[in-house]
Amino acid sequence: MKAAVDGKVQDIRAVWFEDGKVRMIDQRELPARIVLVDFDDYTDVAEAIRNMTTRGAPSIGATAAYAMCLAALKKCDLKKAAADIKAARPTANDLFYAVDFMTDALGKGSDPIEAADRYADMMVDKCTTIGKYGATLIHDGMKLMTHCNAGALATVDVGTALAPMRRAWADGKRFFVYVSETRPRLQGMQLTAWELGQEGIDHAIIPDGASAYYMSKGVDLIITGADRIAANGDFANKIGTFDKAIAAKHFGIPFYVAAPISTFDFDTKTGDDIVIEQRSSTEMTTVGNVRIAPEGSDVLNPAFDVTPADLVTGFITEKGILRPSEIWKVKE
Ligand code: MRU
């Protein structure tokens, strides 16, 4: 993705390895400023996943791969490192997929930096292909909707849900994107709107609760990302995705999920078996450091919800666009 770092516009990834350190964009600082942070200890990288310095399923995966790389370079106990890194967040399948990829590669004697870079490059290639397939669904004059951030920040580069939009826009198609703000951490407003703005793609930020209203006025296509897709096509994604899928069904709007194979978990039979992360109540109750909720009220803050497969029109993958009944085709 293009971004101005120290006043100079450059191509930058969400996470990479340089001078013996894992470097990443601190996504908690966007859109106000681009802050780069680096770590040379795998436990600090695991903490950066947990505290959402970096986030989004494929970026979490690549960050985990680099954490394993650090653990290998420092000759740490790799079994313990794998367990520590996998414990950082519970829902995104890419985290587990990436740690297993690295365990396998290191076990076969691969160079740690080469293997982790290979993993990150592989994600970018997959996203580029997802963009190519997904762009065929986008036509001039369409109104699109997305939720959370499934862009370059969430995937090392390019994006999943945003990849078809980037590609279609680059191909000269002109369309409009509704971006739901994505309470409570505001990944839609702060990250997706920022990315679309960098690309010059027409968009507007809407409150999460306005999605059905705008669908009733005319939305042609909805594309979201996913954190984990179960064997039956049920999928977990940012809280609020399920509401959109239900509303889309009501209005007859095609609802697509863009995700690489690393997000599919064929060992998880249905959405009921997906672990949903519960995050801190302060994400809900404070703005900045100011409490905006009454003291004493309980708060529930699930980070994800599960959308049943029958609400999904198709999955946009690097192996093509598949109906929920066809996803067995991507089983590795
Ligand atoms: O809690 P987050 O910000 O990590 O959640 C991110 C999402 O829900 C994304 O939609 C998903 O990871 C897909 S990213 C390509």
Side-chain angles (χ1 to χ4, degrees):
M1 78 195 100
K2 293 242 182 289
V5 182
D6 298 331
K8 234 178 66 196
V9 175
Q10 52 185 267
D11 267 317
I12 187 172
R13 287 184 167 189
V15 58
W16 69 99
F17 196 85
E18 191 180 332
D19 296 338
K21 292 179 178 172
V22 180
R23 292 185 193 271
M24 64 187 78
I25 298 176
D26 186 341
Q27 300 191 27
R28 300 166 305 176
E29 298 286 343
L30 286 167
R33 53 206 177 122
I34 296 178
V35 175
L36 304 182
V37 288
D38 51 51
F39 306 100
D40 62 6
D41 191 290
Y42 86 81
T43 58
D44 293 331
V45 179
E47 173 58 20
I49 294 172
R50 195 202 60 74
N51 69 24
M52 295 178 66
T53 301
T54 191
R55 30 72 44 212
S59 279
I60 290 172
T63 306
Y66 286 123
M68 285 294 288
C69 163
L70 281 180
L73 291 175
K74 292 200 168 181
K75 311 250 177 290
C76 300
D77 174 345
L78 287 183
K79 251 196 174 148
K80 180 176 181 324
D84 291 346
I85 296 162
K86 282 185 176 183
R89 290 187 76 185
T91 305
N93 193 59
D94 294 64
L95 174 59
F96 312 116
Y97 184 94
V99 171
D100 291 345
F101 173 95
M102 287 299 289
T103 301
D104 184 58
L106 295 169
K108 288 178 179 152
S110 292
D111 173 75
I113 303 174
E114 179 281 324
D117 278 344
R118 179 155 42 93
Y119 186 87
D121 289 347
M122 188 173 80
M123 281 303 133
V124 177
D125 286 350
K126 287 172 187 288
C127 288
T128 304
T129 307
I130 285 171
K132 191 184 81 185
Y133 285 122
T136 62
L137 301 169
I138 300 176
H139 306 292
D140 268 330
M142 272 188 162
K143 287 198 161 85
L144 277 62
M145 185 177 281
T146 190
H147 187 53
C148 194
N149 172 261
L153 291 162
T155 64
V156 183
D157 206 350
V158 181
T160 52
L162 296 199
M165 301 181 202
R166 278 180 204 280
R167 174 65 190 258
W169 195 267
D171 288 347
K173 296 177 190 171
R174 291 297 171 257
F175 51 89
F176 178 87
V177 188
Y178 290 108
V179 179
S180 48
E181 57 172 348
T182 319
R183 281 279 296 158
R185 292 191 66 105
L186 305 176
Q187 294 94 326
M189 179 163 79
Q190 296 187 330
L191 306 180
T192 295
W194 178 77
E195 284 196 37
L196 293 176
Q198 301 289 308
E199 299 287 324
I201 297 176
D202 288 341
H203 66 280
I205 300 161
I206 59 168
D208 291 329
S211 302
Y213 171 74
Y214 283 109
M215 286 185 212
S216 77
K217 301 284 172 207
V219 168
D220 303 293
L221 175 66
I222 300 173
I223 312 178
T224 72
D227 281 84
R228 195 190 297 211
I229 302 165
N232 71 340
D234 296 350
F235 75 100
N237 193 49
K238 183 52 58 192
I239 192 77
T241 303
F242 184 22
D243 309 38
K244 281 186 174 54
I246 292 169
K249 178 104 176 169
H250 176 81
F251 292 111
I253 300 166
F255 188 102
Y256 283 88
V257 178
I261 307 306
S262 51
T263 306
F264 287 78
D265 175 10
F266 288 97
D267 293 333
T268 295
K269 285 200 171 58
T270 75
D272 288 343
D273 306 317
I274 299 176
V275 179
I276 298 296
E277 178 182 12
Q278 303 289 329
R279 292 194 66 89
S280 152
S281 62
T282 54
E283 290 185 349
M284 293 282 298
T285 55
T286 57
V287 171
N289 289 325
V290 180
R291 187 175 173 98
I292 55 167
E295 297 288 348
S297 292
D298 281 343
V299 172
L300 304 173
N301 184 19
F304 304 99
D305 57 25
V306 174
T307 300
D310 63 356
L311 298 180
V312 178
T313 309
F315 290 95
I316 309 168
T317 77
E318 69 270 35
K319 296 207 172 154
I321 302 178
L322 304 169
R323 285 190 295 275
S325 60
E326 295 175 316
I327 60 173
W328 56 268
K329 289 183 182 169
V330 303
K331 195 168 176 182
E332 289 179 325

